[in-house]
Amino acid sequence: DIQMTQSPASLSASLGETVTIECRASEDIYNGLAWYQQKPGKSPQLLIYNANSLHTGVPSRFSGSGSGTQYSLKINSLQSEDVASYFCQQYYNYPTFGGGTKLELK
Amino acid sequence: EVQLQESGPGLVKPSQSLSLTCSVTGYSITSNYWGWIRKFPGNKMEWMGYISYSGSTSYNPSLKSRISITRDTSKNQFFLQLNSVTTEDTATYYCASGHYFDYWGQGVMVTVSS
C-alpha cells in the first residue's frame, strides 16, 4: 500500500497568517490526492481533490499544489473558523490517509 | 443535496459481527462509488472498502477476510459487515461517496467490548 507521511502533526498560527501543510507519498500518486478539514465532533469535509482542484463551496483561501510524491495544502489569511484538523488522502491506489495536522490559533 | 446517514449498534462484543447501514438521499447508489472509512482513537483514518455503481466491491487488503459490503438499491442503502471483531475495531465509522470522498455521513462510534 502507499504510505502518506503528513507534516507537521500540529501547527500554531496567528489570524491572517499563511499556513502550509505537506504530504509525502511513498510512491508517485499522479495527483490522485485530496485534502480534508475536520472539526471536533463533525465529519470530514472535502477541500481539494486532484491535488489542486477546489471543491464546491470551499473558500478560495484554500489551495493545493504538488506533483509526484510531494503535495501541499496552503491556507492564506488564516481565519478563526479554519481551526481544525486537516488530513490528506491518496486515491491513486486503494485509498490511504496521512496522519493529520491539528491547526490551532496562536 | 446528497446526504448519507449511518446507523447501527454502538456496542459490539468481541468475536461477533459489526453491521452498519448507510442510508443515502439525494443521489442514487447505482451511480458513483460508496465506501466505508473508519477513524480510530488517536485519529488514524482507514479506508475499509467500497461498493460501486454496478455492485462490484473492493476491500482494503488488511480486512479482506473479514469484510463484506453489500447494497439494497430499492432502499438506496449500502451495508457494512465486519466479522470477528476485536477491541482493535473500536472506531468511529463513516460512510462516504466517491474515490475522493465528497460527501460523508455524520459517523457512528462503535465500541467493541465485552
Side-chain angles (χ1 to χ4, degrees), chain A residues 34-39 44-49 52-64 73-76 79 81-82 86, chain B residues 100-103:
Chain A
W35 289 97
Y36 301 87
Q37 177 192 70
Q38 187 173 26
K39 297 183 179 180
Q45 300 292 308
L46 177 67
L47 299 173
I48 302 284
Y49 62 96
N52 56 26
S53 297
L54 198 66
H55 184 53
T56 304
V58 175
S60 59
R61 64 180 180 274
F62 292 91
S63 63
L73 171 72
K74 188 162 76 171
I75 310 172
N76 286 317
Q79 305 294 302
E81 60 263 33
D82 301 334
Y86 294 84
Chain B
Y100 51 83
F101 307 111
D102 46 2
Y103 295 98

PDB file of all heavy atoms in Angstrom, chain A residues 34-39 44-49 52-64 73-76 79 81-82 86, chain B residues 100-103:
ATOM      1  N   ALA A  34      -6.344  14.160  -2.215  1.00  0.00           N
ATOM      2  CA  ALA A  34      -7.392  15.028  -1.675  1.00  0.00           C
ATOM      3  C   ALA A  34      -6.965  15.535  -0.304  1.00  0.00           C
ATOM      4  O   ALA A  34      -6.182  14.896   0.396  1.00  0.00           O
ATOM      5  CB  ALA A  34      -8.711  14.263  -1.557  1.00  0.00           C
ATOM      6  N   TRP A  35      -7.524  16.693   0.051  1.00  0.00           N
ATOM      7  CA  TRP A  35      -7.325  17.278   1.378  1.00  0.00           C
ATOM      8  C   TRP A  35      -8.690  17.475   2.036  1.00  0.00           C
ATOM      9  O   TRP A  35      -9.649  17.868   1.380  1.00  0.00           O
ATOM     10  CB  TRP A  35      -6.638  18.634   1.276  1.00  0.00           C
ATOM     11  CG  TRP A  35      -5.194  18.586   0.868  1.00  0.00           C
ATOM     12  CD1 TRP A  35      -4.698  18.764  -0.388  1.00  0.00           C
ATOM     13  CD2 TRP A  35      -4.070  18.364   1.721  1.00  0.00           C
ATOM     14  NE1 TRP A  35      -3.327  18.662  -0.379  1.00  0.00           N
ATOM     15  CE2 TRP A  35      -2.926  18.416   0.912  1.00  0.00           C
ATOM     16  CE3 TRP A  35      -3.926  18.133   3.095  1.00  0.00           C
ATOM     17  CZ2 TRP A  35      -1.632  18.244   1.432  1.00  0.00           C
ATOM     18  CZ3 TRP A  35      -2.654  17.960   3.607  1.00  0.00           C
ATOM     19  CH2 TRP A  35      -1.511  18.009   2.779  1.00  0.00           C
ATOM     20  N   TYR A  36      -8.734  17.214   3.345  1.00  0.00           N
ATOM     21  CA  TYR A  36      -9.963  17.338   4.113  1.00  0.00           C
ATOM     22  C   TYR A  36      -9.723  18.196   5.343  1.00  0.00           C
ATOM     23  O   TYR A  36      -8.616  18.238   5.888  1.00  0.00           O
ATOM     24  CB  TYR A  36     -10.453  15.963   4.573  1.00  0.00           C
ATOM     25  CG  TYR A  36     -10.729  15.003   3.449  1.00  0.00           C
ATOM     26  CD1 TYR A  36      -9.711  14.205   2.933  1.00  0.00           C
ATOM     27  CD2 TYR A  36     -11.990  14.896   2.885  1.00  0.00           C
ATOM     28  CE1 TYR A  36      -9.940  13.338   1.891  1.00  0.00           C
ATOM     29  CE2 TYR A  36     -12.235  14.020   1.840  1.00  0.00           C
ATOM     30  CZ  TYR A  36     -11.210  13.247   1.347  1.00  0.00           C
ATOM     31  OH  TYR A  36     -11.450  12.383   0.315  1.00  0.00           O
ATOM     32  N   GLN A  37     -10.802  18.817   5.805  1.00  0.00           N
ATOM     33  CA  GLN A  37     -10.829  19.523   7.073  1.00  0.00           C
ATOM     34  C   GLN A  37     -11.812  18.800   7.980  1.00  0.00           C
ATOM     35  O   GLN A  37     -12.904  18.434   7.543  1.00  0.00           O
ATOM     36  CB  GLN A  37     -11.315  20.960   6.853  1.00  0.00           C
ATOM     37  CG  GLN A  37     -11.470  21.792   8.107  1.00  0.00           C
ATOM     38  CD  GLN A  37     -12.234  23.086   7.835  1.00  0.00           C
ATOM     39  OE1 GLN A  37     -13.420  23.076   7.572  1.00  0.00           O
ATOM     40  NE2 GLN A  37     -11.524  24.207   7.892  1.00  0.00           N
ATOM     41  N   GLN A  38     -11.437  18.608   9.230  1.00  0.00           N
ATOM     42  CA  GLN A  38     -12.355  18.010  10.178  1.00  0.00           C
ATOM     43  C   GLN A  38     -12.339  18.783  11.484  1.00  0.00           C
ATOM     44  O   GLN A  38     -11.285  18.976  12.079  1.00  0.00           O
ATOM     45  CB  GLN A  38     -12.030  16.533  10.442  1.00  0.00           C
ATOM     46  CG  GLN A  38     -13.089  15.849  11.305  1.00  0.00           C
ATOM     47  CD  GLN A  38     -12.897  14.363  11.449  1.00  0.00           C
ATOM     48  OE1 GLN A  38     -11.781  13.845  11.347  1.00  0.00           O
ATOM     49  NE2 GLN A  38     -13.977  13.647  11.699  1.00  0.00           N
ATOM     50  N   LYS A  39     -13.518  19.205  11.912  1.00  0.00           N
ATOM     51  CA  LYS A  39     -13.678  19.877  13.190  1.00  0.00           C
ATOM     52  C   LYS A  39     -14.185  18.879  14.212  1.00  0.00           C
ATOM     53  O   LYS A  39     -14.835  17.886  13.839  1.00  0.00           O
ATOM     54  CB  LYS A  39     -14.614  21.070  13.037  1.00  0.00           C
ATOM     55  CG  LYS A  39     -14.040  22.120  12.076  1.00  0.00           C
ATOM     56  CD  LYS A  39     -14.918  23.339  11.958  1.00  0.00           C
ATOM     57  CE  LYS A  39     -14.258  24.338  11.009  1.00  0.00           C
ATOM     58  NZ  LYS A  39     -15.061  25.575  10.844  1.00  0.00           N
ATOM     59  N   PRO A  44     -15.490  14.692   8.271  1.00  0.00           N
ATOM     60  CA  PRO A  44     -14.547  15.417   7.406  1.00  0.00           C
ATOM     61  C   PRO A  44     -15.258  16.112   6.250  1.00  0.00           C
ATOM     62  O   PRO A  44     -16.297  15.650   5.776  1.00  0.00           O
ATOM     63  CB  PRO A  44     -13.632  14.299   6.893  1.00  0.00           C
ATOM     64  CG  PRO A  44     -13.735  13.223   7.923  1.00  0.00           C
ATOM     65  CD  PRO A  44     -15.155  13.277   8.394  1.00  0.00           C
ATOM     66  N   GLN A  45     -14.665  17.215   5.816  1.00  0.00           N
ATOM     67  CA  GLN A  45     -15.190  17.967   4.687  1.00  0.00           C
ATOM     68  C   GLN A  45     -14.105  18.052   3.617  1.00  0.00           C
ATOM     69  O   GLN A  45     -12.967  18.436   3.901  1.00  0.00           O
ATOM     70  CB  GLN A  45     -15.580  19.376   5.122  1.00  0.00           C
ATOM     71  CG  GLN A  45     -16.648  19.422   6.218  1.00  0.00           C
ATOM     72  CD  GLN A  45     -18.003  18.945   5.742  1.00  0.00           C
ATOM     73  OE1 GLN A  45     -18.536  19.394   4.736  1.00  0.00           O
ATOM     74  NE2 GLN A  45     -18.577  17.995   6.474  1.00  0.00           N
ATOM     75  N   LEU A  46     -14.468  17.687   2.392  1.00  0.00           N
ATOM     76  CA  LEU A  46     -13.510  17.748   1.279  1.00  0.00           C
ATOM     77  C   LEU A  46     -13.182  19.199   0.960  1.00  0.00           C
ATOM     78  O   LEU A  46     -14.082  20.030   0.800  1.00  0.00           O
ATOM     79  CB  LEU A  46     -14.110  17.057   0.054  1.00  0.00           C
ATOM     80  CG  LEU A  46     -13.270  17.095  -1.228  1.00  0.00           C
ATOM     81  CD1 LEU A  46     -12.000  16.262  -1.062  1.00  0.00           C
ATOM     82  CD2 LEU A  46     -14.100  16.582  -2.411  1.00  0.00           C
ATOM     83  N   LEU A  47     -11.877  19.487   0.854  1.00  0.00           N
ATOM     84  CA  LEU A  47     -11.415  20.820   0.463  1.00  0.00           C
ATOM     85  C   LEU A  47     -10.897  20.831  -0.969  1.00  0.00           C
ATOM     86  O   LEU A  47     -11.253  21.683  -1.781  1.00  0.00           O
ATOM     87  CB  LEU A  47     -10.286  21.282   1.387  1.00  0.00           C
ATOM     88  CG  LEU A  47     -10.578  21.420   2.876  1.00  0.00           C
ATOM     89  CD1 LEU A  47      -9.280  21.710   3.623  1.00  0.00           C
ATOM     90  CD2 LEU A  47     -11.615  22.496   3.122  1.00  0.00           C
ATOM     91  N   ILE A  48     -10.003  19.893  -1.251  1.00  0.00           N
ATOM     92  CA  ILE A  48      -9.240  19.858  -2.502  1.00  0.00           C
ATOM     93  C   ILE A  48      -9.258  18.428  -3.028  1.00  0.00           C
ATOM     94  O   ILE A  48      -9.139  17.476  -2.246  1.00  0.00           O
ATOM     95  CB  ILE A  48      -7.764  20.275  -2.265  1.00  0.00           C
ATOM     96  CG1 ILE A  48      -7.666  21.674  -1.651  1.00  0.00           C
ATOM     97  CG2 ILE A  48      -6.931  20.142  -3.543  1.00  0.00           C
ATOM     98  CD1 ILE A  48      -7.911  22.804  -2.603  1.00  0.00           C
ATOM     99  N   TYR A  49      -9.386  18.263  -4.341  1.00  0.00           N
ATOM    100  CA  TYR A  49      -9.238  16.962  -4.977  1.00  0.00           C
ATOM    101  C   TYR A  49      -8.342  17.113  -6.207  1.00  0.00           C
ATOM    102  O   TYR A  49      -8.105  18.233  -6.670  1.00  0.00           O
ATOM    103  CB  TYR A  49     -10.600  16.356  -5.342  1.00  0.00           C
ATOM    104  CG  TYR A  49     -11.387  17.179  -6.337  1.00  0.00           C
ATOM    105  CD1 TYR A  49     -11.351  16.887  -7.693  1.00  0.00           C
ATOM    106  CD2 TYR A  49     -12.160  18.254  -5.910  1.00  0.00           C
ATOM    107  CE1 TYR A  49     -12.061  17.645  -8.600  1.00  0.00           C
ATOM    108  CE2 TYR A  49     -12.877  19.023  -6.807  1.00  0.00           C
ATOM    109  CZ  TYR A  49     -12.820  18.720  -8.161  1.00  0.00           C
ATOM    110  OH  TYR A  49     -13.520  19.476  -9.051  1.00  0.00           O
ATOM    111  N   ASN A  52      -5.144  19.823  -6.756  1.00  0.00           N
ATOM    112  CA  ASN A  52      -5.216  21.284  -6.830  1.00  0.00           C
ATOM    113  C   ASN A  52      -6.583  21.833  -7.222  1.00  0.00           C
ATOM    114  O   ASN A  52      -6.718  23.036  -7.480  1.00  0.00           O
ATOM    115  CB  ASN A  52      -4.166  21.813  -7.809  1.00  0.00           C
ATOM    116  CG  ASN A  52      -4.299  21.199  -9.195  1.00  0.00           C
ATOM    117  OD1 ASN A  52      -5.377  20.766  -9.599  1.00  0.00           O
ATOM    118  ND2 ASN A  52      -3.203  21.140  -9.930  1.00  0.00           N
ATOM    119  N   SER A  53      -7.616  20.990  -7.251  1.00  0.00           N
ATOM    120  CA  SER A  53      -8.963  21.452  -7.606  1.00  0.00           C
ATOM    121  C   SER A  53      -9.772  21.739  -6.352  1.00  0.00           C
ATOM    122  O   SER A  53      -9.887  20.870  -5.476  1.00  0.00           O
ATOM    123  CB  SER A  53      -9.679  20.393  -8.452  1.00  0.00           C
ATOM    124  OG  SER A  53      -9.012  20.194  -9.676  1.00  0.00           O
ATOM    125  N   LEU A  54     -10.332  22.925  -6.293  1.00  0.00           N
ATOM    126  CA  LEU A  54     -11.089  23.358  -5.121  1.00  0.00           C
ATOM    127  C   LEU A  54     -12.502  22.775  -5.174  1.00  0.00           C
ATOM    128  O   LEU A  54     -13.218  22.933  -6.171  1.00  0.00           O
ATOM    129  CB  LEU A  54     -11.146  24.887  -5.101  1.00  0.00           C
ATOM    130  CG  LEU A  54     -11.502  25.590  -3.807  1.00  0.00           C
ATOM    131  CD1 LEU A  54     -10.423  25.372  -2.762  1.00  0.00           C
ATOM    132  CD2 LEU A  54     -11.701  27.092  -4.063  1.00  0.00           C
ATOM    133  N   HIS A  55     -12.900  22.094  -4.120  1.00  0.00           N
ATOM    134  CA  HIS A  55     -14.246  21.525  -4.058  1.00  0.00           C
ATOM    135  C   HIS A  55     -15.280  22.649  -3.985  1.00  0.00           C
ATOM    136  O   HIS A  55     -15.001  23.739  -3.446  1.00  0.00           O
ATOM    137  CB  HIS A  55     -14.370  20.604  -2.848  1.00  0.00           C
ATOM    138  CG  HIS A  55     -15.686  19.901  -2.735  1.00  0.00           C
ATOM    139  ND1 HIS A  55     -16.236  19.158  -3.757  1.00  0.00           N
ATOM    140  CD2 HIS A  55     -16.577  19.819  -1.703  1.00  0.00           C
ATOM    141  CE1 HIS A  55     -17.399  18.660  -3.372  1.00  0.00           C
ATOM    142  NE2 HIS A  55     -17.621  19.048  -2.125  1.00  0.00           N
ATOM    143  N   THR A  56     -16.450  22.388  -4.479  1.00  0.00           N
ATOM    144  CA  THR A  56     -17.541  23.359  -4.495  1.00  0.00           C
ATOM    145  C   THR A  56     -17.789  23.942  -3.108  1.00  0.00           C
ATOM    146  O   THR A  56     -17.927  23.198  -2.120  1.00  0.00           O
ATOM    147  CB  THR A  56     -18.836  22.683  -4.989  1.00  0.00           C
ATOM    148  OG1 THR A  56     -18.598  22.094  -6.261  1.00  0.00           O
ATOM    149  CG2 THR A  56     -19.951  23.705  -5.114  1.00  0.00           C
ATOM    150  N   GLY A  57     -17.842  25.268  -3.045  1.00  0.00           N
ATOM    151  CA  GLY A  57     -18.178  25.942  -1.801  1.00  0.00           C
ATOM    152  C   GLY A  57     -17.019  26.190  -0.862  1.00  0.00           C
ATOM    153  O   GLY A  57     -17.191  26.843   0.169  1.00  0.00           O
ATOM    154  N   VAL A  58     -15.844  25.699  -1.201  1.00  0.00           N
ATOM    155  CA  VAL A  58     -14.676  25.891  -0.331  1.00  0.00           C
ATOM    156  C   VAL A  58     -14.062  27.275  -0.609  1.00  0.00           C
ATOM    157  O   VAL A  58     -13.867  27.634  -1.772  1.00  0.00           O
ATOM    158  CB  VAL A  58     -13.640  24.779  -0.574  1.00  0.00           C
ATOM    159  CG1 VAL A  58     -12.358  25.037   0.230  1.00  0.00           C
ATOM    160  CG2 VAL A  58     -14.232  23.421  -0.203  1.00  0.00           C
ATOM    161  N   PRO A  59     -13.771  28.028   0.439  1.00  0.00           N
ATOM    162  CA  PRO A  59     -13.211  29.377   0.225  1.00  0.00           C
ATOM    163  C   PRO A  59     -11.906  29.340  -0.558  1.00  0.00           C
ATOM    164  O   PRO A  59     -11.101  28.411  -0.419  1.00  0.00           O
ATOM    165  CB  PRO A  59     -12.978  29.878   1.656  1.00  0.00           C
ATOM    166  CG  PRO A  59     -13.912  29.099   2.501  1.00  0.00           C
ATOM    167  CD  PRO A  59     -14.024  27.759   1.866  1.00  0.00           C
ATOM    168  N   SER A  60     -11.700  30.381  -1.348  1.00  0.00           N
ATOM    169  CA  SER A  60     -10.540  30.426  -2.237  1.00  0.00           C
ATOM    170  C   SER A  60      -9.227  30.634  -1.491  1.00  0.00           C
ATOM    171  O   SER A  60      -8.152  30.547  -2.111  1.00  0.00           O
ATOM    172  CB  SER A  60     -10.724  31.530  -3.276  1.00  0.00           C
ATOM    173  OG  SER A  60     -10.890  32.774  -2.637  1.00  0.00           O
ATOM    174  N   ARG A  61      -9.271  30.875  -0.178  1.00  0.00           N
ATOM    175  CA  ARG A  61      -8.011  30.985   0.579  1.00  0.00           C
ATOM    176  C   ARG A  61      -7.343  29.613   0.738  1.00  0.00           C
ATOM    177  O   ARG A  61      -6.181  29.538   1.120  1.00  0.00           O
ATOM    178  CB  ARG A  61      -8.238  31.631   1.950  1.00  0.00           C
ATOM    179  CG  ARG A  61      -9.106  30.878   2.897  1.00  0.00           C
ATOM    180  CD  ARG A  61      -9.241  31.628   4.227  1.00  0.00           C
ATOM    181  NE  ARG A  61     -10.080  30.936   5.184  1.00  0.00           N
ATOM    182  CZ  ARG A  61     -11.398  31.053   5.231  1.00  0.00           C
ATOM    183  NH1 ARG A  61     -12.014  31.857   4.353  1.00  0.00           N
ATOM    184  NH2 ARG A  61     -12.098  30.384   6.128  1.00  0.00           N
ATOM    185  N   PHE A  62      -8.088  28.555   0.447  1.00  0.00           N
ATOM    186  CA  PHE A  62      -7.508  27.208   0.453  1.00  0.00           C
ATOM    187  C   PHE A  62      -7.000  26.885  -0.958  1.00  0.00           C
ATOM    188  O   PHE A  62      -7.693  27.128  -1.947  1.00  0.00           O
ATOM    189  CB  PHE A  62      -8.542  26.162   0.853  1.00  0.00           C
ATOM    190  CG  PHE A  62      -8.986  26.253   2.285  1.00  0.00           C
ATOM    191  CD1 PHE A  62     -10.082  27.022   2.632  1.00  0.00           C
ATOM    192  CD2 PHE A  62      -8.300  25.564   3.284  1.00  0.00           C
ATOM    193  CE1 PHE A  62     -10.495  27.122   3.964  1.00  0.00           C
ATOM    194  CE2 PHE A  62      -8.711  25.643   4.607  1.00  0.00           C
ATOM    195  CZ  PHE A  62      -9.802  26.427   4.953  1.00  0.00           C
ATOM    196  N   SER A  63      -5.801  26.333  -1.032  1.00  0.00           N
ATOM    197  CA  SER A  63      -5.280  25.903  -2.322  1.00  0.00           C
ATOM    198  C   SER A  63      -4.384  24.688  -2.136  1.00  0.00           C
ATOM    199  O   SER A  63      -3.801  24.486  -1.062  1.00  0.00           O
ATOM    200  CB  SER A  63      -4.510  27.024  -3.022  1.00  0.00           C
ATOM    201  OG  SER A  63      -3.377  27.393  -2.270  1.00  0.00           O
ATOM    202  N   GLY A  64      -4.316  23.877  -3.181  1.00  0.00           N
ATOM    203  CA  GLY A  64      -3.470  22.699  -3.154  1.00  0.00           C
ATOM    204  C   GLY A  64      -2.495  22.723  -4.310  1.00  0.00           C
ATOM    205  O   GLY A  64      -2.786  23.285  -5.366  1.00  0.00           O
ATOM    206  N   LEU A  73      -0.968  21.696   1.084  1.00  0.00           N
ATOM    207  CA  LEU A  73      -2.198  22.474   1.249  1.00  0.00           C
ATOM    208  C   LEU A  73      -1.795  23.815   1.841  1.00  0.00           C
ATOM    209  O   LEU A  73      -1.062  23.854   2.834  1.00  0.00           O
ATOM    210  CB  LEU A  73      -3.168  21.756   2.195  1.00  0.00           C
ATOM    211  CG  LEU A  73      -4.397  22.541   2.633  1.00  0.00           C
ATOM    212  CD1 LEU A  73      -5.371  22.672   1.472  1.00  0.00           C
ATOM    213  CD2 LEU A  73      -5.082  21.871   3.832  1.00  0.00           C
ATOM    214  N   LYS A  74      -2.246  24.899   1.228  1.00  0.00           N
ATOM    215  CA  LYS A  74      -1.956  26.226   1.741  1.00  0.00           C
ATOM    216  C   LYS A  74      -3.251  26.916   2.125  1.00  0.00           C
ATOM    217  O   LYS A  74      -4.245  26.845   1.388  1.00  0.00           O
ATOM    218  CB  LYS A  74      -1.205  27.057   0.691  1.00  0.00           C
ATOM    219  CG  LYS A  74      -0.710  28.384   1.221  1.00  0.00           C
ATOM    220  CD  LYS A  74       0.370  28.996   0.361  1.00  0.00           C
ATOM    221  CE  LYS A  74      -0.157  29.610  -0.895  1.00  0.00           C
ATOM    222  NZ  LYS A  74       0.902  30.387  -1.603  1.00  0.00           N
ATOM    223  N   ILE A  75      -3.217  27.540   3.289  1.00  0.00           N
ATOM    224  CA  ILE A  75      -4.342  28.363   3.734  1.00  0.00           C
ATOM    225  C   ILE A  75      -3.833  29.791   3.822  1.00  0.00           C
ATOM    226  O   ILE A  75      -2.951  30.092   4.644  1.00  0.00           O
ATOM    227  CB  ILE A  75      -4.890  27.915   5.102  1.00  0.00           C
ATOM    228  CG1 ILE A  75      -5.161  26.408   5.120  1.00  0.00           C
ATOM    229  CG2 ILE A  75      -6.170  28.690   5.428  1.00  0.00           C
ATOM    230  CD1 ILE A  75      -5.526  25.859   6.507  1.00  0.00           C
ATOM    231  N   ASN A  76      -4.351  30.648   2.985  1.00  0.00           N
ATOM    232  CA  ASN A  76      -3.985  32.063   3.028  1.00  0.00           C
ATOM    233  C   ASN A  76      -4.872  32.804   4.006  1.00  0.00           C
ATOM    234  O   ASN A  76      -6.054  32.471   4.172  1.00  0.00           O
ATOM    235  CB  ASN A  76      -4.150  32.694   1.631  1.00  0.00           C
ATOM    236  CG  ASN A  76      -3.053  32.275   0.687  1.00  0.00           C
ATOM    237  OD1 ASN A  76      -1.873  32.239   1.058  1.00  0.00           O
ATOM    238  ND2 ASN A  76      -3.415  31.952  -0.542  1.00  0.00           N
ATOM    239  N   GLN A  79      -8.274  32.254   9.076  1.00  0.00           N
ATOM    240  CA  GLN A  79      -9.456  32.734   9.785  1.00  0.00           C
ATOM    241  C   GLN A  79      -9.709  31.849  11.008  1.00  0.00           C
ATOM    242  O   GLN A  79      -9.260  30.694  11.049  1.00  0.00           O
ATOM    243  CB  GLN A  79     -10.684  32.687   8.858  1.00  0.00           C
ATOM    244  CG  GLN A  79     -10.504  33.434   7.544  1.00  0.00           C
ATOM    245  CD  GLN A  79     -10.366  34.928   7.749  1.00  0.00           C
ATOM    246  OE1 GLN A  79     -11.267  35.553   8.333  1.00  0.00           O
ATOM    247  NE2 GLN A  79      -9.268  35.506   7.290  1.00  0.00           N
ATOM    248  N   GLU A  81     -12.316  30.321  11.846  1.00  0.00           N
ATOM    249  CA  GLU A  81     -13.087  29.111  11.508  1.00  0.00           C
ATOM    250  C   GLU A  81     -12.226  28.030  10.857  1.00  0.00           C
ATOM    251  O   GLU A  81     -12.710  26.928  10.602  1.00  0.00           O
ATOM    252  CB  GLU A  81     -14.275  29.457  10.602  1.00  0.00           C
ATOM    253  CG  GLU A  81     -13.918  30.089   9.283  1.00  0.00           C
ATOM    254  CD  GLU A  81     -14.021  31.610   9.320  1.00  0.00           C
ATOM    255  OE1 GLU A  81     -13.754  32.201  10.382  1.00  0.00           O
ATOM    256  OE2 GLU A  81     -14.371  32.188   8.271  1.00  0.00           O
ATOM    257  N   ASP A  82     -10.958  28.349  10.584  1.00  0.00           N
ATOM    258  CA  ASP A  82     -10.065  27.354   9.985  1.00  0.00           C
ATOM    259  C   ASP A  82      -9.408  26.463  11.038  1.00  0.00           C
ATOM    260  O   ASP A  82      -8.686  25.511  10.690  1.00  0.00           O
ATOM    261  CB  ASP A  82      -8.976  28.033   9.151  1.00  0.00           C
ATOM    262  CG  ASP A  82      -9.551  28.875   8.027  1.00  0.00           C
ATOM    263  OD1 ASP A  82     -10.679  28.573   7.570  1.00  0.00           O
ATOM    264  OD2 ASP A  82      -8.885  29.841   7.606  1.00  0.00           O
ATOM    265  N   TYR A  86      -6.570  18.729   9.707  1.00  0.00           N
ATOM    266  CA  TYR A  86      -6.507  18.574   8.250  1.00  0.00           C
ATOM    267  C   TYR A  86      -5.776  17.274   7.942  1.00  0.00           C
ATOM    268  O   TYR A  86      -4.802  16.927   8.615  1.00  0.00           O
ATOM    269  CB  TYR A  86      -5.764  19.756   7.627  1.00  0.00           C
ATOM    270  CG  TYR A  86      -6.505  21.053   7.791  1.00  0.00           C
ATOM    271  CD1 TYR A  86      -6.387  21.797   8.962  1.00  0.00           C
ATOM    272  CD2 TYR A  86      -7.363  21.511   6.795  1.00  0.00           C
ATOM    273  CE1 TYR A  86      -7.101  22.971   9.136  1.00  0.00           C
ATOM    274  CE2 TYR A  86      -8.076  22.692   6.951  1.00  0.00           C
ATOM    275  CZ  TYR A  86      -7.942  23.406   8.133  1.00  0.00           C
ATOM    276  OH  TYR A  86      -8.657  24.570   8.297  1.00  0.00           O
TER     277      TYR A  86
ATOM    278  N   TYR B 100     -12.396  10.071  -4.027  1.00  0.00           N
ATOM    279  CA  TYR B 100     -12.111  11.059  -3.015  1.00  0.00           C
ATOM    280  C   TYR B 100     -13.493  11.361  -2.463  1.00  0.00           C
ATOM    281  O   TYR B 100     -14.475  11.390  -3.189  1.00  0.00           O
ATOM    282  CB  TYR B 100     -11.417  12.306  -3.577  1.00  0.00           C
ATOM    283  CG  TYR B 100     -12.074  12.937  -4.771  1.00  0.00           C
ATOM    284  CD1 TYR B 100     -13.129  13.820  -4.635  1.00  0.00           C
ATOM    285  CD2 TYR B 100     -11.613  12.645  -6.054  1.00  0.00           C
ATOM    286  CE1 TYR B 100     -13.730  14.391  -5.734  1.00  0.00           C
ATOM    287  CE2 TYR B 100     -12.205  13.208  -7.160  1.00  0.00           C
ATOM    288  CZ  TYR B 100     -13.265  14.081  -6.995  1.00  0.00           C
ATOM    289  OH  TYR B 100     -13.857  14.639  -8.097  1.00  0.00           O
ATOM    290  N   PHE B 101     -13.567  11.565  -1.181  1.00  0.00           N
ATOM    291  CA  PHE B 101     -14.858  11.440  -0.516  1.00  0.00           C
ATOM    292  C   PHE B 101     -15.534  12.801  -0.389  1.00  0.00           C
ATOM    293  O   PHE B 101     -15.245  13.578   0.510  1.00  0.00           O
ATOM    294  CB  PHE B 101     -14.638  10.754   0.832  1.00  0.00           C
ATOM    295  CG  PHE B 101     -13.877   9.464   0.685  1.00  0.00           C
ATOM    296  CD1 PHE B 101     -12.581   9.333   1.167  1.00  0.00           C
ATOM    297  CD2 PHE B 101     -14.443   8.391   0.022  1.00  0.00           C
ATOM    298  CE1 PHE B 101     -11.872   8.153   1.015  1.00  0.00           C
ATOM    299  CE2 PHE B 101     -13.742   7.205  -0.144  1.00  0.00           C
ATOM    300  CZ  PHE B 101     -12.458   7.086   0.352  1.00  0.00           C
ATOM    301  N   ASP B 102     -16.433  13.080  -1.333  1.00  0.00           N
ATOM    302  CA  ASP B 102     -17.024  14.408  -1.375  1.00  0.00           C
ATOM    303  C   ASP B 102     -18.234  14.567  -0.451  1.00  0.00           C
ATOM    304  O   ASP B 102     -18.572  15.698  -0.079  1.00  0.00           O
ATOM    305  CB  ASP B 102     -17.364  14.825  -2.808  1.00  0.00           C
ATOM    306  CG  ASP B 102     -18.073  13.747  -3.602  1.00  0.00           C
ATOM    307  OD1 ASP B 102     -18.356  12.670  -3.039  1.00  0.00           O
ATOM    308  OD2 ASP B 102     -18.343  13.988  -4.793  1.00  0.00           O
ATOM    309  N   TYR B 103     -18.850  13.465  -0.081  1.00  0.00           N
ATOM    310  CA  TYR B 103     -19.948  13.532   0.885  1.00  0.00           C
ATOM    311  C   TYR B 103     -19.752  12.445   1.922  1.00  0.00           C
ATOM    312  O   TYR B 103     -19.410  11.307   1.580  1.00  0.00           O
ATOM    313  CB  TYR B 103     -21.304  13.392   0.196  1.00  0.00           C
ATOM    314  CG  TYR B 103     -21.599  14.539  -0.747  1.00  0.00           C
ATOM    315  CD1 TYR B 103     -21.365  14.408  -2.110  1.00  0.00           C
ATOM    316  CD2 TYR B 103     -22.061  15.752  -0.255  1.00  0.00           C
ATOM    317  CE1 TYR B 103     -21.602  15.470  -2.971  1.00  0.00           C
ATOM    318  CE2 TYR B 103     -22.302  16.817  -1.116  1.00  0.00           C
ATOM    319  CZ  TYR B 103     -22.063  16.661  -2.465  1.00  0.00           C
ATOM    320  OH  TYR B 103     -22.290  17.713  -3.309  1.00  0.00           O
TER     321      TYR B 103
END
